[in-house]
Amino acid sequence: MVRSIINLLFQKLKQNFLLVLILVIATVLRLYHWTEIPYMHDELSALLRTEFDNFSDLINLGVKYRDTHPALIQVFLYYWTGIFGYSAWIVKLPFILSGIGSVYLAYRLGLRLSSKTTGLIIASIIACSEYTLMFSQIIRPYSSGLFFTLLLVYHWSELVFYKNYRLKHQFYFVLATILCAYNHHFSLFASGLTGFAGLFFIERKFLWKYLLLCAIVVLAYLPHLHIFLKQLGDGGVGAWLGKPEPDFLLQFLFYVCHFSLVLVIFLVIIWCFGRISGHKTPRQRLPLYFSGGLFFTVYFTAYFYSIYSSSVLQYSVLIFVFPFLLLFIFGWIKEQSSVVNTILVACICIGFTSTLIFGRKYYSIFYVPIFKQLIVDAHDAVNEEPKTLTILYTDEPKTRFYERYQGLIIPKSWLFINEPTFTEKELTALLNEKSGQYERIYLGAICQIPPNFRAIILSCYSHILWQRNYFSASSLLVSKGIPSEKPIADLVKTPKLFNGYDPSKWYNQAYHFRQNEEWGPGFSKPLSELIRKPSDVIDVIVKLKLSDFEHNPLLIIAAQSNDSIIQFKGTEAKFNLLNRSDSTVTLIQSMRFIDLKYKHFDKPFLSTYIWNRDQKPLQILSFRVIYRTDNPVVYALNEDFEAP
């Protein structure tokens, strides 16, 4: 009997060798250095929202008013961490497992709705793409939602397309739909679209029972309805998420393919081969049309809602319908031989895995606990020189999470600052107060820091000892001494680089605006000639002497394309620290090129100038434009980047 069981398992393994191989690869990629997988920003937010004494506070304070997602995952984390604690490896385990399970379900769905070849292609991509891999390692409702949506559509398909009314398919259809509804608003949307589509495809004799199943789902969701309505009324994440560009879908596809042109071409060839060689009957095409309809309905709804209402469209919300885009693209391929299947799986897995590790540098970039690392770097800086002023521009509760649960030491003398409660004026005053007491300044900052905060620090401590760059954050150690960055334009030393410069107005070591003069010299240059790397920064530092304390000129820096403004920033004198002994003020503004999306515009250029809108007499004592190398991996997990 034992031998027969072994033989049976061997036969199953032999028949499904490629699937097993894909699952092994998916598991290895997701469990690589399992105990070192870090928490991301959103994960720490979710964990901080588990620190309630009772379930009622969890729902009312942790979900309804402080989250934008349904309650399921937050409730799960509340009980899971209550049992197992906050170690990342155990907290992330269920999400990793659901990611691996999604690979299997994607294969089963591709096999059922198209062919074994299609199932293997889809499973290979989901197993190895950074997109699905990363969200499998994050304790947010994406990996779980992907699993629930695949489970739903698989059993829904049995009911709708194949007239298989077995009780287990009815049960899992209801269960998976409820889980989708409680998991994420977009998995709720996808499940609602699926259920609605079933009304048009379901066999008439089963319609009333199908409606009953849908009614059970609706009744099960009613307790959550008040949370949904509250979160819907609050809008999306438009406060920090920009409107999607017209090429969003194209960029999404390149992101899925690791921004590798070779991978894109290879998948296009597979698609072309499938369209040419494959032949589907109308009945066989129906699931593929449904898959395409499901993805594009979700996509275009999110896109136009983001354009005309509040921004909600980001890569993460498409993960629930991503497998159906793959099914729509590759589902036309007819069944291939085992040799061809092996070649396809090998090419996809090798191509995606190699670009993941060596091109995207996923494990070296993702596997950094940002808030913890900034504290570690701060200790390095203080150990080098005890007289180091330590400034942390981070989310303090998220940073102190590591103090409470991992024993990280954060001295009371270290300063937490954050915008908007901490302004440019306050930072300048702090530096003026502390400059005589400290030899160095350490700044550990997440990417939300205004870029001119670094420029303000560098205007006082201009020698860069080191900068360490991470995804969404960097740390900087500076000292007084020889400036590390030289100006590319200086009104005092290179006045000819400034347009509108009038030599007759330079005297007594200052450039003079006369009464009723609004505009003076400025610097302008095409971005194509200016930018060395998209991640770099321009700092503009101007020192002015005002005619009186009420005088309020502005330092302007703008990126333009013909008559269109790409980005416009202005710094007013009244919001900066005024030296009342001599009526001077230093204005500092910065622009980070990576935030501009300048490649979408025709002949973009940068310009910076003084706007003397009061038209009072004004003196420019200095006007420097500094090009600064910055963090090349700041958005590396979401965008293409140049490896440092």
Side-chain angles (χ1 to χ4, degrees), residues 189-202:
F189 184 40
S191 65
L193 289 173
T194 303
F196 180 72
L199 297 175
F200 299 94
F201 302 131
I202 197 74

Side-chain angles (χ1 to χ4, degrees), residues 132-179:
T132 42
L133 166 60
M134 183 179 70
F135 285 114
S136 295
Q137 296 180 314
I138 293 176
I139 59 169
R140 301 305 293 132
Y142 304 114
S143 175
S144 55
L146 175 61
F147 181 85
F148 297 149
T149 307
L150 287 167
L151 184 67
L152 158 65
V153 176
Y154 179 81
H155 291 284
W156 174 88
S157 299
E158 291 291 340
L159 297 173
V160 171
F161 293 134
Y162 302 109
K163 318 305 178 189
N164 186 348
Y165 303 130
R166 292 174 63 187
L167 187 59
K168 75 170 186 177
H169 297 307
Q170 298 179 44
F171 172 78
Y172 282 115
F173 165 66
V174 171
L175 176 63
T177 306
I178 294 171
L179 291 172

